[in-house]
Amino acid sequence: MKPAILIRSVTANDLRTIFEIENQSFGNEAFNKRQFKYLAKSPTSHFVVAEIENQIGGYLILTTRRNSKLLRIYSLATNPNFRGMGIGEKLMNYTKDFAAKQLFDTISLEVKESNSAAITLYQKMGFVSTGKKMDYYGQGQHALVMQLACKV
Ligand SMILES: CC(C)(COP(=O)(O)OP(=O)(O)OC[C@H]1O[C@@H](n2cnc3c(N)ncnc32)[C@H](O)[C@@H]1OP(=O)(O)O)[C@@H](O)C(=O)NCCC(=O)NCCS
């Protein structure tokens, strides 16, 4: 039987593990601790973790702007020890449900064009590429913009 995945709001106690996952996932492009602390408190972000077997299996940060119907996936990563177990998909389905409940009309994200695991996940969830941001992650490291129109 697959282990259960529970999504809940982030707490201050989670930040150390989240920071470890962030570093394992993004290396020198990782957010720093201060940024996570800010995002955990910011009224314009929605920060959740996925728990699996009583450990943090991943996290998701959504951001919003006042008077905007666009919900942005600001950060998403899963614990390398628990990849391929459906956590990324669960967090994406959570995002879709959140967007529908809060009446957003579009979910948008940037992803490095070389990040085939993430792009495959987003395509599986119905996202399509709508543009490209040149040098977004540094010289020669372009981002794809991917979006999903929400059902109303
Ligand atoms: C991308 C990432 C979030 C996927 O998380 P995950 O928990 O392993 O994903 P899931 O187990 O839910 O997989 C769901 C789908 O994603 C795709 N996928 C996941 N890992 C993949 C891989 N290594 N290669 C290709 N497709 C992959 C598949 O379509 C998979 O569906 P399937 O199992 O039916 O084939 C994870 O690899 C990660 O954290 N990477 C580093 C951080 C990152 O790149 N974040 C996104 C930044 S934009």
Side-chain angles (χ1 to χ4, degrees):
M1 204 173 76
K2 276 191 174 178
I5 302 165
L6 170 91
I7 298 184
R8 61 160 175 82
S9 295
V10 71
T11 70
N13 290 338
D14 301 324
L15 292 178
R16 210 175 69 114
T17 311
I18 288 172
F19 190 57
E20 273 170 28
I21 298 172
E22 173 81 6
N23 279 311
Q24 288 164 333
S25 300
F26 299 109
N28 58 9
E29 288 165 7
F31 288 144
N32 61 39
K33 280 188 185 139
R34 205 161 53 95
Q35 286 167 304
F36 276 119
K37 276 188 189 158
Y38 170 79
L39 287 161
K41 285 191 184 155
S42 166
T44 56
S45 54
H46 183 79
F47 193 159
V48 295
V49 297
E51 263 189 7
I52 184 166
E53 296 175 343
N54 293 318
Q55 296 184 61
I56 295 185
Y59 58 88
L60 166 75
I61 304 171
L62 304 173
T63 58
T64 60
R65 280 197 183 157
R66 207 192 305 185
N67 300 326
S68 168
K69 292 272 178 203
L70 188 140
L71 179 67
R72 183 170 175 212
I73 298 181
Y74 193 66
S75 189
L76 163 74
T78 59
N79 185 328
N81 299 327
F82 295 104
R83 287 199 182 145
M85 296 176 72
I87 297 173
E89 198 166 327
K90 183 106 180 181
L91 287 167
M92 291 303 295
N93 278 323
Y94 176 89
T95 303
K96 285 189 183 183
D97 290 347
F98 179 88
K101 278 186 202 138
Q102 306 277 330
L103 306 179
F104 287 96
D105 61 22
T106 307
I107 306 171
S108 187
L109 59 89
E110 287 85 21
V111 58
K112 207 182 259 189
E113 60 177 3
S114 58
N115 189 347
S116 55
I119 292 169
T120 308
L121 168 65
Y122 300 140
Q123 285 170 337
K124 184 177 181 187
M125 304 312 294
F127 283 65
V128 293
S129 174
T130 56
K132 196 163 166 169
K133 293 185 179 174
M134 304 303 284
D135 301 319
Y136 187 76
Y137 297 103
Q139 183 93 44
Q141 309 229 56
H142 314 313
L144 287 183
V145 178
M146 297 187 78
Q147 295 191 330
L148 178 74
C150 303
K151 294 195 181 76
V152 277

Coordinates of all heavy atoms in Angstrom, one line a residue, residues 110-151:
E110 N 7.4 29.4 -13.6 CA 8.6 29.4 -14.4 C 9.3 28.1 -14.1 O 9.4 27.7 -12.9 CB 9.5 30.6 -14.1 CG 9.0 31.9 -14.7 CD 8.1 32.6 -13.7 OE1 8.1 32.3 -12.5 OE2 7.3 33.5 -14.2
V111 N 9.9 27.5 -15.1 CA 10.7 26.3 -14.9 C 11.9 26.4 -15.8 O 11.8 26.8 -17.0 CB 9.9 25.0 -15.1 CG1 9.2 25.0 -16.5 CG2 10.7 23.8 -14.8
K112 N 13.1 25.9 -15.3 CA 14.3 25.9 -16.1 C 14.0 24.9 -17.3 O 13.5 23.8 -17.1 CB 15.4 25.4 -15.3 CG 16.8 25.9 -15.8 CD 17.9 25.3 -14.9 CE 18.4 26.3 -13.9 NZ 19.6 25.8 -13.2
E113 N 14.4 25.4 -18.5 CA 14.0 24.6 -19.7 C 14.7 23.2 -19.7 O 14.3 22.3 -20.4 CB 14.1 25.3 -21.0 CG 15.5 25.8 -21.3 CD 15.5 26.5 -22.7 OE1 14.5 26.7 -23.4 OE2 16.7 26.9 -23.0
S114 N 15.8 23.1 -18.9 CA 16.5 21.8 -18.8 C 15.9 20.9 -17.8 O 16.4 19.7 -17.6 CB 18.0 22.1 -18.5 OG 18.1 22.8 -17.3
N115 N 14.9 21.3 -17.0 CA 14.4 20.5 -15.9 C 13.3 19.6 -16.4 O 12.1 19.8 -16.2 CB 13.9 21.5 -14.8 CG 13.5 20.8 -13.5 OD1 13.4 19.6 -13.5 ND2 13.3 21.6 -12.5
S116 N 13.7 18.5 -17.0 CA 12.7 17.7 -17.7 C 11.7 17.0 -16.7 O 10.6 16.8 -17.0 CB 13.4 16.6 -18.6 OG 14.3 15.9 -17.8
A117 N 12.2 16.7 -15.5 CA 11.3 16.0 -14.5 C 10.1 16.9 -14.2 O 9.0 16.5 -14.2 CB 12.1 15.7 -13.2
A118 N 10.5 18.2 -13.9 CA 9.4 19.2 -13.5 C 8.5 19.4 -14.7 O 7.3 19.5 -14.5 CB 10.0 20.4 -13.0
I119 N 9.1 19.6 -15.9 CA 8.3 19.9 -17.1 C 7.3 18.8 -17.3 O 6.1 19.0 -17.6 CB 9.2 20.2 -18.3 CG1 9.9 21.6 -18.0 CG2 8.4 20.3 -19.6 CD1 11.0 21.9 -19.0
T120 N 7.8 17.5 -17.2 CA 6.9 16.4 -17.4 C 5.8 16.4 -16.4 O 4.6 16.1 -16.8 CB 7.7 15.1 -17.3 OG1 8.9 15.2 -18.2 CG2 6.9 13.9 -17.7
L121 N 6.1 16.7 -15.2 CA 5.1 16.8 -14.1 C 4.0 17.8 -14.5 O 2.8 17.6 -14.5 CB 5.7 17.1 -12.8 CG 4.7 17.5 -11.7 CD1 3.8 16.4 -11.3 CD2 5.5 18.0 -10.4
Y122 N 4.5 19.0 -14.9 CA 3.5 20.1 -15.2 C 2.7 19.7 -16.4 O 1.5 20.0 -16.5 CB 4.3 21.4 -15.4 CG 5.1 21.9 -14.2 CD1 6.4 22.4 -14.3 CD2 4.6 21.7 -12.9 CE1 7.1 22.8 -13.2 CE2 5.3 22.1 -11.8 CZ 6.6 22.7 -12.0 OH 7.3 23.0 -10.9
Q123 N 3.3 19.1 -17.4 CA 2.5 18.7 -18.6 C 1.5 17.7 -18.2 O 0.3 17.7 -18.7 CB 3.5 18.1 -19.7 CG 4.2 19.2 -20.4 CD 5.3 18.7 -21.3 OE1 5.8 17.6 -21.1 NE2 5.8 19.5 -22.3
K124 N 1.9 16.8 -17.3 CA 0.9 15.7 -16.9 C -0.3 16.4 -16.2 O -1.4 15.9 -16.3 CB 1.6 14.8 -15.9 CG 0.7 13.6 -15.5 CD 1.4 12.6 -14.6 CE 0.5 11.5 -14.2 NZ 1.1 10.6 -13.2
M125 N 0.0 17.5 -15.5 CA -1.1 18.2 -14.8 C -1.9 19.1 -15.7 O -2.8 19.9 -15.3 CB -0.5 19.0 -13.6 CG 0.3 18.2 -12.6 SD -0.4 16.7 -12.1 CE -1.8 17.3 -11.2
G126 N -1.5 19.2 -17.0 CA -2.3 20.0 -18.0 C -1.7 21.3 -18.3 O -2.3 22.1 -19.1
F127 N -0.5 21.7 -17.8 CA 0.1 23.0 -18.0 C 0.7 22.9 -19.5 O 1.2 21.9 -19.9 CB 1.2 23.3 -17.1 CG 0.7 23.7 -15.7 CD1 0.0 22.8 -14.9 CD2 1.0 25.0 -15.2 CE1 -0.4 23.2 -13.6 CE2 0.5 25.4 -14.0 CZ -0.2 24.5 -13.2
V128 N 0.6 24.1 -20.1 CA 1.2 24.2 -21.4 C 2.2 25.4 -21.4 O 2.0 26.4 -20.6 CB 0.2 24.5 -22.5 CG1 -0.7 23.2 -22.8 CG2 -0.7 25.7 -22.3
S129 N 3.2 25.3 -22.2 CA 4.2 26.4 -22.3 C 3.6 27.6 -23.0 O 3.0 27.5 -24.1 CB 5.4 25.8 -23.1 OG 6.3 26.9 -23.2
T130 N 3.7 28.8 -22.4 CA 3.1 30.0 -23.0 C 4.2 31.0 -23.3 O 3.8 32.1 -23.8 CB 2.1 30.6 -22.0 OG1 2.7 30.9 -20.8 CG2 0.9 29.7 -21.8
G131 N 5.4 30.7 -23.0 CA 6.5 31.7 -23.3 C 7.8 31.3 -22.7 O 7.9 30.2 -22.2
K132 N 8.8 32.2 -22.9 CA 10.1 31.8 -22.5 C 10.7 33.1 -21.9 O 10.5 34.2 -22.5 CB 10.9 31.4 -23.8 CG 12.2 30.7 -23.5 CD 12.6 30.0 -24.8 CE 14.0 29.5 -24.7 NZ 14.4 28.6 -25.8
K133 N 11.5 33.0 -20.8 CA 12.2 34.2 -20.3 C 13.7 33.9 -20.4 O 14.2 33.0 -19.8 CB 11.8 34.4 -18.8 CG 10.4 34.8 -18.6 CD 10.1 35.2 -17.2 CE 8.6 35.6 -17.0 NZ 8.2 35.8 -15.7
M134 N 14.3 34.7 -21.3 CA 15.7 34.4 -21.6 C 16.6 34.8 -20.4 O 16.4 35.8 -19.7 CB 16.1 35.2 -22.8 CG 15.3 35.0 -24.1 SD 15.3 33.3 -24.6 CE 16.9 33.2 -25.3
D135 N 17.6 33.9 -20.1 CA 18.6 34.2 -19.1 C 18.0 34.4 -17.7 O 18.6 35.0 -16.8 CB 19.5 35.4 -19.4 CG 20.2 35.2 -20.8 OD1 20.7 34.1 -21.0 OD2 20.2 36.1 -21.6
Y136 N 16.8 33.8 -17.5 CA 16.1 34.0 -16.2 C 16.8 33.5 -15.0 O 16.8 34.0 -14.0 CB 14.7 33.3 -16.4 CG 13.7 33.6 -15.2 CD1 13.0 34.8 -15.1 CD2 13.4 32.6 -14.3 CE1 12.1 35.0 -14.1 CE2 12.5 32.7 -13.3 CZ 11.9 34.0 -13.2 OH 11.0 34.2 -12.2
Y137 N 17.5 32.3 -15.3 CA 18.3 31.7 -14.2 C 19.8 32.0 -14.3 O 20.6 31.3 -13.7 CB 18.0 30.2 -14.2 CG 16.6 29.8 -13.9 CD1 15.8 29.4 -15.0 CD2 16.0 29.9 -12.6 CE1 14.4 29.1 -14.7 CE2 14.7 29.5 -12.4 CZ 13.9 29.1 -13.4 OH 12.6 28.8 -13.2
G138 N 20.2 33.0 -15.1 CA 21.6 33.2 -15.3 C 21.9 33.1 -16.8 O 21.0 32.6 -17.6
Q139 N 23.1 33.5 -17.2 CA 23.5 33.5 -18.6 C 23.2 32.2 -19.3 O 23.7 31.1 -18.8 CB 25.0 33.8 -18.6 CG 25.5 33.9 -20.0 CD 25.5 35.4 -20.5 OE1 25.9 36.3 -19.8 NE2 25.1 35.5 -21.8
G140 N 22.4 32.2 -20.3 CA 22.2 30.9 -21.1 C 21.2 29.9 -20.4 O 21.0 28.9 -20.9
Q141 N 20.7 30.3 -19.3 CA 19.8 29.4 -18.5 C 18.3 30.0 -18.6 O 18.0 30.8 -17.8 CB 20.2 29.3 -17.1 CG 21.7 29.0 -16.9 CD 21.8 27.9 -16.0 OE1 21.3 26.8 -16.1 NE2 22.6 28.1 -15.0
H142 N 17.6 29.6 -19.6 CA 16.3 30.2 -19.9 C 15.2 29.5 -19.1 O 15.3 28.3 -18.7 CB 16.0 30.1 -21.4 CG 17.2 30.5 -22.2 ND1 17.9 31.7 -21.9 CD2 17.8 29.9 -23.3 CE1 18.9 31.8 -22.8 NE2 18.8 30.7 -23.6
A143 N 14.1 30.2 -18.9 CA 12.9 29.7 -18.2 C 11.8 29.5 -19.2 O 11.6 30.3 -20.1 CB 12.5 30.6 -17.1
L144 N 11.1 28.4 -19.1 CA 9.8 28.3 -19.8 C 8.7 28.8 -18.8 O 8.8 28.6 -17.6 CB 9.4 26.8 -20.0 CG 10.2 26.1 -21.1 CD1 9.6 24.7 -21.2 CD2 10.1 26.8 -22.4
V145 N 7.8 29.6 -19.4 CA 6.6 30.0 -18.6 C 5.6 28.9 -18.9 O 5.3 28.7 -20.1 CB 6.1 31.4 -19.0 CG1 4.9 31.7 -18.2 CG2 7.2 32.4 -18.8
M146 N 5.0 28.3 -17.9 CA 3.9 27.3 -18.1 C 2.7 27.7 -17.4 O 2.8 28.2 -16.3 CB 4.4 25.9 -17.7 CG 5.6 25.4 -18.5 SD 6.0 23.7 -18.2 CE 4.7 22.8 -19.1
Q147 N 1.5 27.5 -18.0 CA 0.3 28.0 -17.4 C -0.8 27.0 -17.6 O -0.8 26.2 -18.5 CB -0.1 29.3 -18.0 CG 0.9 30.4 -17.8 CD 0.4 31.8 -18.1 OE1 -0.5 31.9 -19.1 NE2 0.8 32.8 -17.5
L148 N -1.8 27.1 -16.7 CA -3.0 26.3 -16.7 C -4.2 27.2 -16.5 O -4.2 28.0 -15.6 CB -2.9 25.2 -15.6 CG -4.2 24.3 -15.6 CD1 -4.2 23.3 -16.7 CD2 -4.2 23.6 -14.2
A149 N -5.1 27.1 -17.4 CA -6.4 27.9 -17.3 C -7.2 27.1 -16.3 O -7.4 25.9 -16.5 CB -7.1 28.0 -18.6
C150 N -7.7 27.8 -15.3 CA -8.5 27.1 -14.2 C -10.0 27.0 -14.7 O -10.5 27.9 -15.3 CB -8.5 27.9 -12.9 SG -6.9 28.1 -12.3
K151 N -10.6 25.9 -14.3 CA -12.0 25.7 -14.7 C -12.8 26.5 -13.7 O -12.5 26.5 -12.5 CB -12.4 24.2 -14.6 CG -11.7 23.4 -15.6 CD -12.3 22.1 -15.7 CE -11.6 21.2 -16.8 NZ -10.3 20.7 -16.3

